[in-house]
């Protein structure tokens, strides 16, 4: 188990989206985060107190969590000085990057010499099967997005909370580094060998009570040329009974792809539903989740009303306004 509380390491994150791991922990497990550590020229903040390593240690922090999700998932050489100093001060390190802590010899040496632990949460710990496509008992809902980092995890967590308040049976199923750091378990899907990705989601969402819902954390986008494969594995392995469309309306291009324009909600609806019905012909789209963080309250409400009118589906910002509308749509199925 990763020791809490955490000091969230933002490093030299160039923008707010790059700090989405730290932001997710701060928003959904605030009791586990005592502060943030930012290097010079860091372009992000999660709104916690800026602390030195010594200040965080005095405040009780036990693990330095790398809260940055950079393109390619690499440990920057600029971070090394801080990470090694943290190990010498007795901090454990936790990371969900593709570049594993245990593969960095200097970090391994520092951890061993100080009795510290390196936690790489993006390592599959199970020999997952190849997907078989057999129908499973229980129900499943999956968030699919117009782009990466549009709020699929937030949608799933907020929906789980709203469904539990209604007395419904639900379980949030983490499929990425942030979700795993928040809940303590899950499948690091983008680190699973391709042939076994869909099977890992079948494993994650097994047979259950007929009235139980697995809320599957979405990843990537079917329209993102870099990460569409991981999304399709969720669509087929998850065999969702319901889909929720996720969108961030202020984007001018796909995340990390300046030459690609985000698709429309209607395009995502049609493509995702077609693919989902390969594994579950009864799948339906039940709602739209809109990330309105860059919009005023008035603009957000107006946009949500517009989406509802155009799609005929309930539209909410589940983090800003709650996910009860989405929970109600699922309960009515």
């Amino acid at each position: 188990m990763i020791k809490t509380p955490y000091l969230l390491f933002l490093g030299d994150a160039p923008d707010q989206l790059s700090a989405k791991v730290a932001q997710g922990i701060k928003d959904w497990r605030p009791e586990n985060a005592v502060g943030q550590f930012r290097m010079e020229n860091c372009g992000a903040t999660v709104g916690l107190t800026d602390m030195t390593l010594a200040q965080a240690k005095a405040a009780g922090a036990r693990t330095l969590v790398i809260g940055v999700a950079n393109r390619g998932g690499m440990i920057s050489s600029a971070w090394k000085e801080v990470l090694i100093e943290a190990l010498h001060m007795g901090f454990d390190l936790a990371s969900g990057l593709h570049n594993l802590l245990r593969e960095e010899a200097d970090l391994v040496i520092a951890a061993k010499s100080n009795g510290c632990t390196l936690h790489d949460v993006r390592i599959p710990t199970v020999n997952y099967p190849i997907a078989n496509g057999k129908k499973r008992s229980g129900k499943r809902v999956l968030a699919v997005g117009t782009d990466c980092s549009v709020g699929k995890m937030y949608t799933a967590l907020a929906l789980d909370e709203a469904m539990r308040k209604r007395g419904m049976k639900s379980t949030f199923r983490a499929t990425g580094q942030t979700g795993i750091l928040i809940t303590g378990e899950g499948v690091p899907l983008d680190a699973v060998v391709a042939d076994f990705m869909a099977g890992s989601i079948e494993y994650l969402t097994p047979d259950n009570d007929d009235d139980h819902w697995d809320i599957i954390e979405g990843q990537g986008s079917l329209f993102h040329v870099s990460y569409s494969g991981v999304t399709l594995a969720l669509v087929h392995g998850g065999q969702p009974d319901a889909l929720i469309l996720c969108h961030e309306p202020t984007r001018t291009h796909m995340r990390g792809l300046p030459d690609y324009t985000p698709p429309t909600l209607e395009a995502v609806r049609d493509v995702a539903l077609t693919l989902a019905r390969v594994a579950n012909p009864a799948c339906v789209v039940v709602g739209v989740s809109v990330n309105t963080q860059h919009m005023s309250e008035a603009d957000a409400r107006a946009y949500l009303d517009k989406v509802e009118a155009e799609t005929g589906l309930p539209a909410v910002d589940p983090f800003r306004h709650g996910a009860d509308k989405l929970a109600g749509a699922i309960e009515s199925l």
Side-chain angles (χ1 to χ4, degrees), residues 97-141:
L97 296 173
H98 287 296
N99 183 181
L100 303 180
L101 297 170
R102 68 187 68 181
E103 292 178 346
E104 298 297 314
D106 47 0
L107 297 180
V108 172
I109 291 170
K112 286 183 177 179
S113 64
N114 291 282
C116 299
T117 303
L118 303 177
H119 297 279
D120 288 302
V121 303
R122 216 171 195 157
I123 295 180
T125 57
V126 173
N127 291 322
Y128 299 115
I130 292 176
N132 58 37
K134 292 181 180 178
K135 181 64 178 175
R136 306 187 293 284
S137 59
K139 299 179 180 181
R140 290 154 196 88
V141 55

Side-chain angles (χ1 to χ4, degrees), residues 4 25 32 55 99 103 107 123 127 139 148 160 164 171 182 189 208 211 257 270 273 276-277 284 291-293 316 320:
T4 58
I25 294 171
N32 286 349
Q55 288 170 336
N99 183 181
E103 292 178 346
L107 297 180
I123 295 180
N127 291 322
K139 299 179 180 181
C148 302
D160 182 43
R164 288 172 181 270
T171 305
I182 289 170
L189 184 58
N208 215 314
D211 59 348
L257 299 174
D270 294 345
L273 196 56
R277 285 179 173 170
V284 294
N291 179 347
T292 65
Q293 64 175 319
V316 299
R320 194 173 194 171

Side-chain angles (χ1 to χ4, degrees), residues 10 12 15 19 26-27 43 60 64-65 87 169 173 178 181 189 263 272 274 278-279 282 300 318:
L10 275 60
D12 51 4
D15 55 35
K26 181 261 183 181
D27 286 341
L64 181 69
V65 174
L87 290 167
K169 297 178 184 177
R173 302 295 189 183
T178 310
L181 283 166
L189 184 58
T274 298
V278 171

Side-chain angles (χ1 to χ4, degrees), residues 29 137 140 154 157 162 173 184 204 211 221 228 257 299 318 326:
R29 291 295 184 272
S137 59
R140 290 154 196 88
Y154 275 58
L157 285 164
R173 302 295 189 183
L204 182 68
D211 59 348
S221 171
S228 56
L257 299 174
D299 287 345
L326 298 177

Side-chain angles (χ1 to χ4, degrees), residues 28-29 141 154-166 168-173 183 212-215 323 327:
W28 293 100
R29 291 295 184 272
V141 55
Y154 275 58
T155 299
L157 285 164
L159 180 60
D160 182 43
E161 183 177 69
M163 290 173 71
R164 288 172 181 270
K165 286 181 179 178
R166 283 175 168 256
M168 300 172 69
K169 297 178 184 177
S170 70
T171 305
F172 169 75
R173 302 295 189 183
T183 64
H212 177 276
W213 284 88
D214 276 334
I215 304 173

Side-chain angles (χ1 to χ4, degrees), residues 227-249:
Y227 309 119
S228 56
V230 70
T231 313
L232 185 56
L234 286 161
V235 171
H236 284 168
Q239 280 188 355
D241 298 275
L243 296 173
I244 295 174
L245 310 180
C246 298
H247 183 51
E248 205 281 67

